[in-house]
Amino acid sequence: MLKNSQKLKINKEHINQIKQSWSSQYGDSYQEGLHFLIEHLPAISKSVEEIVDEIIANKPVQQIIGEWPFYDGTYVINENVLIPRPETEVMIDHIVNNIKSCKNVLDLGTGSGCIAIELSKIYPSACVHAVDRSVQALEVAKKNNHQTPNKVKLYQSDWFSNIEQKFDLIVSNPPYVAHEIATDKSLTHEPNIALYAKNKGMSDIDHIIGKAKFFLEQAGYLYIEHGQDQKNKVQKLMRKNGFREIETHKDFSGKERFSFAML
Ligand SMILES: C[S@@+](CC[C@H](N)C(=O)[O-])C[C@H]1O[C@@H](n2cnc3c(N)ncnc32)[C@H](O)[C@@H]1O
């Protein structure tokens, strides 16, 4: 890794080395990944040899670049956090349109901090808390927590275990991929703790919906991202736990991706 001040000085030879390793790994497919990488080379603090090694190791282009755009910001990322997904941006859009103001916000499982930090920009006078069980993820979120003067309060917590107050809005993109499909090769470079949950991917969602009512103000909202086949279970859990006005919305590719409800 080069120091930040030692950004890569790129020449034609470097580009050729990168193109060759890319084509040895991906052939002619996934050219958009290569273009993205080349476009971002000037911002990468790594040697060409390191970049080539990472291409050969099949590392996602987002992790090679080391940062990724999300909503209205750009987020430092590494192998300890989920790569922020466009599906999650759709949930943020809905929150902005649905909730005009709020005082206290909680993001559960913050990873890179992308949801919490974007919400702290959208609600500049709200107090935004964000937790994660992973200390390594919190280190990444801290690096991203400079994008707005309304800094997010980041701390370690196993879901609600260290939460001591109530919120108007609780948001979470928890792990929801079933353990049974933990062999999905496209996910091998992201942390298991960010992706997989027991009970067909439902165990963390179940826990969060069950406990959220104790940490929400009356008429507060819970927003939760989930798998495309989990809508019925999520809605049932919300009903069982006293939530009302339950709705599920689709992501940009038409998959039922997040549900929300009022207490
Ligand atoms: C799907 S990732 C979401 C990351 C980020 N919010 C995003 O949308 O890109 C889930 C996050 O939940 C965290 N997590 C998993 N189990 C947890 C637990 N028991 N308590 C708190 N956070 C947890 C993971 O470390 C990971 O950062």
Side-chain angles (χ1 to χ4, degrees), residues 82 84 88 107 109-111 114-115 132-134 137 157-159 173-175 193-194:
L82 189 87
T88 310
D107 173 27
T110 198
C114 59
I115 296 178
D132 208 289
R133 202 179 77 187
S134 158
S157 181
D158 180 358
W159 299 133
N173 174 15
I193 186 178

Side-chain angles (χ1 to χ4, degrees), residues 6-219:
Q6 297 174 282
K7 299 282 185 198
L8 195 56
K9 292 199 177 61
I10 306 137
N11 58 36
K12 271 191 183 160
E13 181 54 30
H14 293 147
I15 304 269
N16 284 338
Q17 269 178 275
I18 287 167
K19 280 185 174 167
Q20 271 169 18
S21 55
W22 192 272
S23 88
S24 75
Q25 203 56 19
Y26 298 102
D28 285 338
S29 66
Y30 195 31
Q31 287 298 301
E32 67 276 20
L34 175 62
H35 293 148
F36 213 83
L37 178 57
I38 290 175
E39 197 181 303
H40 283 80
L41 282 176
I44 301 180
S45 313
K46 290 174 184 168
S47 68
V48 173
E49 291 70 28
E50 282 174 290
I51 295 173
V52 165
D53 285 348
E54 292 185 349
I55 293 171
I56 289 166
N58 237 344
K59 214 169 187 184
V61 68
Q62 298 92 329
Q63 287 181 1
I64 300 177
I65 294 167
E67 57 180 35
W68 198 242
F70 178 82
Y71 209 75
D72 207 15
T74 298
Y75 286 81
V76 170
I77 55 154
N78 64 20
E79 64 286 352
N80 295 314
V81 295
L82 189 87
I83 299 164
R85 304 288 207 272
E87 292 90 311
T88 310
E89 294 178 318
V90 180
M91 182 163 73
I92 306 248
D93 257 341
H94 195 281
I95 294 173
V96 181
N97 291 324
N98 190 33
I99 302 179
K100 292 299 160 217
S101 71
C102 54
K103 284 196 222 134
N104 295 296
V105 181
L106 172 63
D107 173 27
L108 291 165
T110 198
S112 62
C114 59
I115 296 178
I117 293 167
E118 290 308 307
L119 290 176
S120 78
K121 295 177 191 172
I122 292 162
Y123 304 112
S125 55
C127 184
V128 182
H129 293 230
V131 300
D132 208 289
R133 202 179 77 187
S134 158
V135 177
Q136 294 93 329
L138 287 167
E139 287 302 319
V140 176
K142 272 183 208 154
K143 288 189 185 154
N144 288 316
N145 199 13
H146 58 79
Q147 302 188 23
T148 148
N150 182 26
K151 285 204 189 330
V152 172
K153 295 186 189 333
L154 291 161
Y155 45 98
Q156 194 189 18
S157 181
D158 180 358
W159 299 133
F160 293 97
S161 65
N162 290 328
I163 309 289
E164 293 174 343
Q165 66 167 89
K166 291 192 173 191
F167 298 87
D168 313 309
L169 169 63
I170 297 179
V171 187
S172 186
N173 174 15
Y176 56 74
V177 180
H179 262 299
E180 296 77 1
I181 52 170
T183 49
D184 186 337
K185 282 216 167 60
S186 68
L187 300 175
T188 48
H189 288 271
E190 291 172 284
N192 284 350
I193 186 178
L195 296 166
Y196 299 109
K198 293 182 185 148
N199 189 18
K200 297 188 176 153
M202 285 300 296
S203 60
D204 292 302
I205 290 178
D206 192 338
H207 179 86
I208 290 168
I209 297 176
K211 287 270 187 297
K213 57 179 180 274
F214 303 114
F215 296 90
L216 267 177
E217 300 286 3
Q218 198 56 41

